[in-house]
Amino acid sequence: MLRALIWKLDAGIRQQKKTLETGHDLRELFQYASPLFPSEFQHEKKLLDVQIQHVGRLWYNNMRFASSRYVETRWFALGEVNRKRTMKQATALFFDVCGDIVSRCEVICGK
């Protein structure tokens, strides 16, 4: 969705005058997209920033090949999984935050 926002809001990308060299890093994609947000979405931008920093801290592209045990160990080291929050609870929260990011980007893309 961040790529979709960039393609929609950046004429240089749309016209292939610029290239997007962010790879799959959500934080870099957001950093690129952030200045492009229309002024009426500044509140959304602040909320997205918090959510993307959270997701970006927990996930990187090659984790899609990792075992659940690896992810759980990494998230435990980051404090996302602990005595009060199980892996199942942490993944549910992660999923919800990711869904919220997509929803917010859809609203912005729709304008």
Coordinates of all heavy atoms in Angstrom, one line a residue, residues 1-16 18-23 29 32-33 36 109:
M1 N 0.8 -1.2 0.0 CA 0.0 0.0 0.0 C 0.9 1.3 0.0 O 0.5 2.3 -0.6 CB -1.0 0.0 1.2 CG -2.1 -1.0 1.0 SD -3.1 -0.8 -0.5 CE -3.7 0.8 -0.4
L2 N 2.0 1.2 0.7 CA 2.9 2.4 0.7 C 3.4 2.6 -0.8 O 3.5 3.8 -1.2 CB 4.0 2.2 1.6 CG 3.6 2.3 3.1 CD1 4.8 1.9 4.0 CD2 3.2 3.7 3.5
R3 N 3.7 1.6 -1.5 CA 4.2 1.7 -2.9 C 3.0 2.3 -3.7 O 3.3 3.2 -4.5 CB 4.6 0.4 -3.4 CG 5.9 -0.1 -3.0 CD 6.3 -1.3 -3.8 NE 7.4 -2.0 -3.1 CZ 8.6 -1.7 -3.1 NH1 9.0 -0.6 -3.8 NH2 9.5 -2.4 -2.5
A4 N 1.8 1.8 -3.5 CA 0.7 2.4 -4.2 C 0.5 3.9 -3.9 O 0.2 4.6 -4.9 CB -0.6 1.6 -3.8
L5 N 0.7 4.3 -2.7 CA 0.6 5.7 -2.4 C 1.7 6.5 -3.1 O 1.4 7.5 -3.7 CB 0.8 5.9 -0.9 CG -0.4 5.8 0.0 CD1 0.0 5.9 1.5 CD2 -1.4 6.9 -0.3
I6 N 2.9 5.9 -3.1 CA 4.0 6.6 -3.8 C 3.7 6.8 -5.3 O 3.9 7.8 -5.9 CB 5.3 5.9 -3.5 CG1 5.7 6.1 -2.0 CG2 6.4 6.4 -4.4 CD1 6.8 5.2 -1.6
W7 N 3.3 5.6 -5.9 CA 3.0 5.7 -7.3 C 1.9 6.6 -7.6 O 1.9 7.3 -8.7 CB 2.6 4.3 -7.8 CG 3.8 3.3 -7.8 CD1 5.1 3.7 -7.9 CD2 3.7 1.9 -7.7 NE1 5.9 2.5 -7.9 CE2 5.1 1.4 -7.8 CE3 2.7 1.0 -7.6 CZ2 5.4 0.1 -7.7 CZ3 3.0 -0.3 -7.5 CH2 4.3 -0.8 -7.5
K8 N 0.9 6.7 -6.7 CA -0.2 7.6 -7.0 C 0.2 9.1 -6.8 O -0.2 10.0 -7.5 CB -1.4 7.3 -6.1 CG -2.6 8.2 -6.3 CD -3.8 7.8 -5.5 CE -4.9 8.9 -5.8 NZ -6.2 8.4 -5.8
L9 N 1.0 9.4 -5.7 CA 1.2 10.8 -5.3 C 2.5 11.4 -5.9 O 2.7 12.6 -5.9 CB 1.3 10.8 -3.8 CG 0.0 10.4 -3.0 CD1 0.3 10.4 -1.5 CD2 -1.2 11.3 -3.4
D10 N 3.4 10.6 -6.5 CA 4.6 11.1 -7.0 C 4.6 11.0 -8.5 O 4.8 9.9 -9.1 CB 5.8 10.3 -6.4 CG 7.2 10.9 -6.8 OD1 7.4 11.4 -7.9 OD2 8.0 10.9 -5.9
A11 N 4.5 12.1 -9.2 CA 4.4 12.1 -10.6 C 5.7 11.6 -11.3 O 5.7 11.0 -12.3 CB 4.1 13.6 -11.1
G12 N 6.8 11.9 -10.6 CA 8.1 11.4 -11.2 C 8.2 9.9 -11.2 O 8.7 9.3 -12.2
I13 N 7.7 9.2 -10.2 CA 7.6 7.8 -10.2 C 6.6 7.3 -11.3 O 6.9 6.4 -12.0 CB 7.2 7.2 -8.8 CG1 8.3 7.6 -7.8 CG2 6.9 5.8 -8.9 CD1 9.6 6.8 -7.9
R14 N 5.5 7.9 -11.3 CA 4.4 7.5 -12.3 C 4.9 7.6 -13.7 O 4.6 6.8 -14.6 CB 3.2 8.4 -12.1 CG 2.0 7.6 -11.7 CD 0.7 8.4 -11.7 NE 0.8 9.9 -11.8 CZ 0.9 10.8 -10.8 NH1 1.0 10.3 -9.6 NH2 0.9 12.0 -11.1
Q15 N 5.7 8.7 -14.0 CA 6.2 9.0 -15.3 C 7.5 8.3 -15.6 O 8.1 8.5 -16.6 CB 6.3 10.5 -15.6 CG 4.9 11.2 -15.5 CD 5.0 12.7 -15.4 OE1 6.1 13.2 -15.3 NE2 3.9 13.3 -15.3
Q16 N 8.0 7.5 -14.7 CA 9.2 6.8 -14.7 C 10.4 7.7 -14.9 O 11.4 7.3 -15.6 CB 9.2 5.7 -15.8 CG 8.1 4.7 -15.6 CD 8.0 3.6 -16.6 OE1 8.5 3.8 -17.8 NE2 7.3 2.5 -16.3
K18 N 11.8 8.9 -12.1 CA 12.6 8.6 -10.9 C 12.4 7.1 -10.6 O 11.4 6.5 -11.1 CB 12.0 9.4 -9.7 CG 12.2 10.8 -9.8 CD 12.0 11.5 -8.5 CE 10.5 11.6 -8.0 NZ 10.3 12.4 -6.8
T19 N 13.3 6.5 -9.9 CA 13.1 5.1 -9.4 C 13.0 5.1 -7.9 O 13.4 6.0 -7.2 CB 14.3 4.3 -9.8 OG1 15.5 4.8 -9.2 CG2 14.5 4.2 -11.3
L20 N 12.3 4.1 -7.5 CA 12.1 3.9 -6.1 C 13.1 2.8 -5.5 O 13.0 1.6 -5.8 CB 10.6 3.4 -5.9 CG 10.1 3.3 -4.4 CD1 10.2 4.6 -3.7 CD2 8.7 2.8 -4.5
E21 N 14.0 3.3 -4.8 CA 15.1 2.4 -4.3 C 15.0 2.1 -2.9 O 16.0 2.2 -2.1 CB 16.5 3.1 -4.6 CG 16.8 3.4 -6.1 CD 17.0 2.2 -6.9 OE1 17.4 1.1 -6.4 OE2 16.7 2.2 -8.1
T22 N 13.8 1.7 -2.4 CA 13.6 1.5 -1.0 C 13.7 0.0 -0.6 O 13.7 -0.4 0.5 CB 12.3 2.0 -0.5 OG1 11.3 1.4 -1.3 CG2 12.2 3.5 -0.7
G23 N 13.6 -0.9 -1.6 CA 13.5 -2.3 -1.3 C 12.2 -2.6 -0.6 O 11.2 -2.0 -0.9
L29 N 10.1 3.1 2.9 CA 9.0 3.4 2.1 C 8.1 4.5 2.7 O 7.7 5.5 2.0 CB 8.1 2.2 1.9 CG 8.6 1.2 0.8 CD1 7.9 -0.2 1.0 CD2 8.4 1.7 -0.6
Y32 N 9.9 7.9 2.4 CA 9.7 8.4 1.0 C 8.3 9.0 0.8 O 8.1 10.0 0.2 CB 10.0 7.3 0.0 CG 10.1 7.8 -1.4 CD1 11.3 8.1 -2.0 CD2 8.9 8.0 -2.2 CE1 11.4 8.5 -3.3 CE2 9.0 8.5 -3.5 CZ 10.2 8.8 -4.0 OH 10.2 9.2 -5.3
A33 N 7.3 8.2 1.3 CA 5.9 8.6 1.0 C 5.4 9.7 1.9 O 4.6 10.5 1.4 CB 5.0 7.4 1.2
L36 N 4.7 13.3 0.7 CA 3.8 13.3 -0.4 C 2.3 13.4 0.0 O 1.4 13.7 -0.7 CB 4.0 12.1 -1.3 CG 5.3 11.8 -1.9 CD1 5.4 10.5 -2.6 CD2 5.7 12.9 -2.9
C109 N -5.2 6.7 -0.6 CA -5.2 6.4 -2.0 C -6.5 6.7 -2.7 O -6.5 7.1 -3.9 CB -4.9 4.9 -2.3 SG -3.1 4.5 -2.5

